[in-house]
Amino acid sequence: MRPNRPIYLDHHATTPLDPRVAAAMRPWWEENFANPHSVEHAMGREAEAAVEGAREHVAALIGAEGREIIFTSGATEANNLAIKGAARFAGAEGKRRVITLATEHKCVLESVKSLASEGFEPVILPVQSDGLLDLAVLEAALRVPTVLVSVMAVNNEIGVTQDLAAIGVLVRAAGAAFHIDAAQAPGRVALDVHAVQADLVSLTAHKMYGPKGVGALYVRRRPRMRLAPLFSGGGQERGLRSGTLPAPLLVGMGEAARIAASEGLLDAGRIAGQRDRFFNALSAEIEGLQLNGHATARVAGNLNLSFPGRVDAQALMRAAPGLCVSTGSACSSAEIEPSYVLAALGIPQGQARATLRMGFGRFTSPAEADQAALLLVAAWRQVVAQSQAAD
């Protein structure tokens, strides 16, 4: 464990920078800081080559070609470009329906809903109580001509993994485009764009031990997936995302992708063992602890737990200052209302308010997992005692 530092169990919000990624980035901050578009001189060409190498690593992570990767500022931009870009380009064909799920990330839900002002029909499908999509519900929705279906690979709150291959079959048969928000997937689950018949896939570096501020969008070439760009500029990234590419960040994303591709499955197996040990330790001491989301169709490091005894998640976190956990999405953490993801699962507000999300990661040690369980059990007992005393 790191002395005098909280135990970090919030890897769905962000991951620490892998030291190997930091080392790969450093020369492009200090030794060669050239603009990768300045190919008239040697330093610019070297920076361009580094960027293209990173592009190949990101592509290899999801079974794509380098020229199918468009770099962005992160998954939020990639999701906006995929959803709005695909709808606006294809809107002239007469298809107006855009489908997503009630448990998607806010940037996906808001992107889909915003298209209503442009004459599109946003369709937000429900999920089952375990967080999984009922394929029959999607199939029925696709009977109306549809531009795009957007489904998250791994839910950022409950860790549930959707059956992307089965969804891809339905979407392709309906003649719609298939977008996957895969921000939480790399290094946690295997993803091959051809196996799932994806047309668009959003990625971000900081959820796979890379730097913040950089992401990517896979855009299928054959048959070609067409998008309208979100903004104008110098025409970089095949005209889809103008702006100077940040070479150090892209090198970092490329290295993070390389490591995720080579070590992700090993990480997942070790992390699952620590998560299960942690969960078992909590369950042995806290009767009535509730796991939210499907028990097995989930990533290795995720636990979304509702605590019994009329406790409040915020109070639990205050009682355990030595832990870094959360109540849900970091992008919605300032909201007072309970998680909309848990509400979509049919979880009552009282239970949702007593829910914490834990995310284990590559650098979580067994000792940290054990200590975290002790701290959380002690915090729960303290909050329950305070609640009973108040009565």
Side-chain angles (χ1 to χ4, degrees), residues 203-391:
L203 300 165
T204 191
H206 78 103
K207 301 296 174 78
M208 56 175 169
Y209 308 92
K212 297 172 180 64
V214 62
L217 178 65
Y218 159 78
V219 183
R220 179 176 47 75
R221 287 189 68 249
R222 293 194 182 94
R224 187 177 180 186
M225 183 68 208
R226 304 296 296 272
L227 301 176
L230 294 181
F231 49 83
S232 303
Q236 292 92 342
E237 296 300 276
R238 290 168 41 200
L240 292 177
R241 205 284 182 179
S242 294
T244 300
L245 291 176
L249 298 181
L250 300 185
V251 169
M253 185 174 187
E255 180 65 4
R258 185 194 67 78
I259 295 169
S262 63
E263 300 179 9
L265 293 180
L266 292 174
D267 276 346
R270 179 181 54 78
I271 291 168
Q274 293 187 13
R275 176 204 64 188
D276 293 345
R277 180 169 172 167
F278 172 89
F279 181 59
N280 291 337
L282 288 185
S283 299
E285 300 294 331
I286 304 176
E287 185 177 355
L289 190 67
Q290 176 67 45
L291 174 67
N292 299 314
H294 198 283
T296 56
R298 66 191 308 120
V299 289
N302 176 272
L303 284 173
N304 189 285
L305 302 174
S306 296
F307 289 77
R310 290 192 303 157
V311 301
D312 178 82
Q314 298 289 341
L316 282 174
M317 289 191 290
R318 288 193 297 270
L323 287 181
C324 292
V325 295
S326 69
T327 57
S329 172
C331 300
S332 305
S333 59
E335 296 182 2
I336 298 175
E337 291 300 313
S339 163
Y340 69 91
V341 172
L342 298 182
L345 271 60
I347 293 174
Q349 281 200 6
Q351 182 178 333
R353 290 184 187 277
T355 298
L356 291 176
R357 176 187 69 173
M358 273 69 71
F360 295 76
R362 178 180 295 167
F363 302 113
T364 307
S365 70
E368 285 178 317
D370 291 342
Q371 181 65 15
L374 293 174
L375 291 173
L376 199 49
V377 168
W380 174 77
R381 287 175 175 162
Q382 176 183 326
V383 173
V384 168
Q386 291 170 345
S387 176
Q388 292 173 343
D391 292 341

Side-chain angles (χ1 to χ4, degrees), residues 16-142:
L17 191 69
D18 190 298
R20 293 168 290 183
V21 173
M25 294 169 62
R26 189 178 184 92
W28 303 99
W29 291 118
E30 299 175 351
E31 297 170 19
N32 187 344
F33 46 82
N35 187 324
H37 308 297
S38 297
V39 294
E40 296 86 358
H41 55 69
M43 288 180 65
R45 289 191 294 273
E46 289 174 3
E48 180 194 39
V51 166
E52 293 310 308
R55 197 187 305 273
E56 292 295 332
H57 284 312
V58 173
L61 178 64
I62 58 173
E65 299 177 25
R67 51 190 171 173
E68 295 177 305
I69 299 300
I70 302 299
F71 285 122
T72 67
S73 63
T76 292
E77 183 188 345
N79 286 335
N80 273 262
L81 176 57
I83 294 166
K84 296 174 183 176
R88 290 168 181 168
F89 191 93
E93 298 178 2
K95 296 179 180 180
R96 312 301 293 175
R97 173 168 283 201
V98 182
I99 297 173
T100 192
L101 308 186
T103 50
E104 295 298 303
H105 193 277
K106 281 286 189 182
C107 68
V108 168
L109 289 169
E110 294 305 316
S111 292
V112 170
K113 291 175 182 177
S114 73
L115 289 170
S117 64
E118 301 178 36
F120 292 92
E121 178 193 2
V123 176
I124 313 298
L125 298 182
V127 295
Q128 301 172 106
S129 61
D130 60 5
L132 293 179
L133 170 66
D134 183 340
L135 294 177
V137 171
L138 174 61
E139 190 172 18
L142 285 168

